[in-house]
Amino acid sequence: MAIKDYDDLNEIQLDVLKEIGNIGAGNAATSLADMLMTPIDISVPVVRILDYEEATERLGGPETMIVGLMIQLEGDFQGMIMFLLEKEFAAMTLNTLIGTEINSFSELDEVALSAFKELANIMAASYVNAIASMTGMRIDLTVPDLCIDMLGAILSVPAIHYANISDKIILIEGEFNGESAKTANHVLLLPDVDSLEKTMTALGIEL
């Protein structure tokens, strides 16, 4: 049966997404550990299919301030990937990367913005490479968009721009554990249904 919406994904297909989440999170933790020069462990990610209201409430409510890093995916696998970082963890990461103390996200300079975008690129590549290595697909990344705002406002962006894909999202949840910090790891994945079907076909999974 063809995939028309994320709700059509069966248990085997969801297991594929879980494996992508596992590999992607592992790659991301390794890359982040290299950037921060500190060991980072990860929990086993959980993959959920949620509508935007459910996702918003699960992530802390619409007024929760958060850092969103959004990248569009192009090529054989199209859609969007978004990373949601808690402000404290984002500040710690940024301070480590650029060696200065960030006191306000409203006053980020070009160096800080570039560091954030580089972080987004590395983390997105971790998940994209997991998909590409499993399927042989060519996947390109656009320049990341950075948004520091309330969660409700951040999630309204994919809700509007990707309404033609689905009214739900694939949420990959896990946790990064470092020597001095622990933070939730939230990844939103919004592939179009054609890309999902290509992924399953490439892996020999019956639709």
Side-chain angles (χ1 to χ4, degrees):
M1 181 180 69
I3 301 171
K4 296 180 181 179
D5 196 89
Y6 298 162
D7 280 334
D8 292 334
L9 294 168
N10 60 36
E11 286 301 317
I12 295 176
Q13 293 161 344
L14 284 174
D15 283 343
V16 170
L17 295 178
K18 290 176 183 177
E19 184 61 18
I20 290 172
N22 275 325
I23 298 173
N27 292 345
T30 299
S31 298
L32 196 56
D34 290 341
M35 291 177 69
L36 302 179
M37 293 183 290
T38 183
I40 293 179
D41 296 322
I42 58 166
S43 63
V44 177
V46 177
V47 177
R48 293 183 171 89
I49 309 295
L50 302 173
D51 62 33
Y52 283 93
E53 183 176 349
E54 291 173 322
T56 300
E57 291 305 318
R58 183 166 188 83
L59 296 172
E63 296 183 358
T64 300
M65 293 298 296
I66 205 157
V67 178
L69 302 167
M70 185 176 74
I71 296 177
Q72 294 183 44
L73 308 177
E74 299 176 344
D76 296 332
F77 189 98
Q78 300 188 11
M80 181 217 77
I81 189 168
M82 176 182 279
F83 300 92
L84 300 176
L85 305 178
E86 296 174 353
K87 288 185 68 177
E88 294 77 11
F89 181 75
M92 182 276 291
T93 302
L94 197 56
N95 291 338
T96 302
L97 290 177
I98 64 178
T100 58
E101 191 71 24
I102 300 298
N103 297 312
S104 173
F105 281 96
S106 63
E107 301 174 357
L108 295 179
D109 59 18
E110 287 301 316
V111 174
L113 290 173
S114 294
F116 255 140
K117 291 183 178 181
E118 181 61 19
L119 174 64
N121 272 327
I122 290 173
M123 294 183 71
S126 299
Y127 286 85
V128 165
N129 289 341
I131 299 170
S133 64
M134 291 171 67
T135 63
M137 291 182 179
R138 179 184 63 81
I139 309 172
D140 300 318
L141 305 177
T142 64
V143 176
D145 287 322
L146 169 67
C147 186
I148 302 167
D149 206 335
M150 290 187 293
L151 181 63
I154 289 178
L155 291 189
S156 70
V157 176
I160 294 170
H161 288 278
Y162 293 91
N164 62 316
I165 291 179
S166 178
D167 61 355
K168 299 194 175 185
I169 56 176
I170 299 168
L171 175 62
I172 304 172
E173 293 183 291
E175 192 173 69
F176 286 146
N177 295 300
E179 289 184 340
S180 59
K182 180 169 70 174
T183 185
N185 173 37
H186 300 299
V187 182
L188 306 183
L189 186 60
L190 265 166
D192 63 28
V193 291
D194 287 342
S195 297
L196 278 178
E197 288 190 345
K198 287 180 184 177
T199 301
M200 301 304 164
T201 300
L203 296 173
I205 295 172
E206 187 175 340
L207 299 176

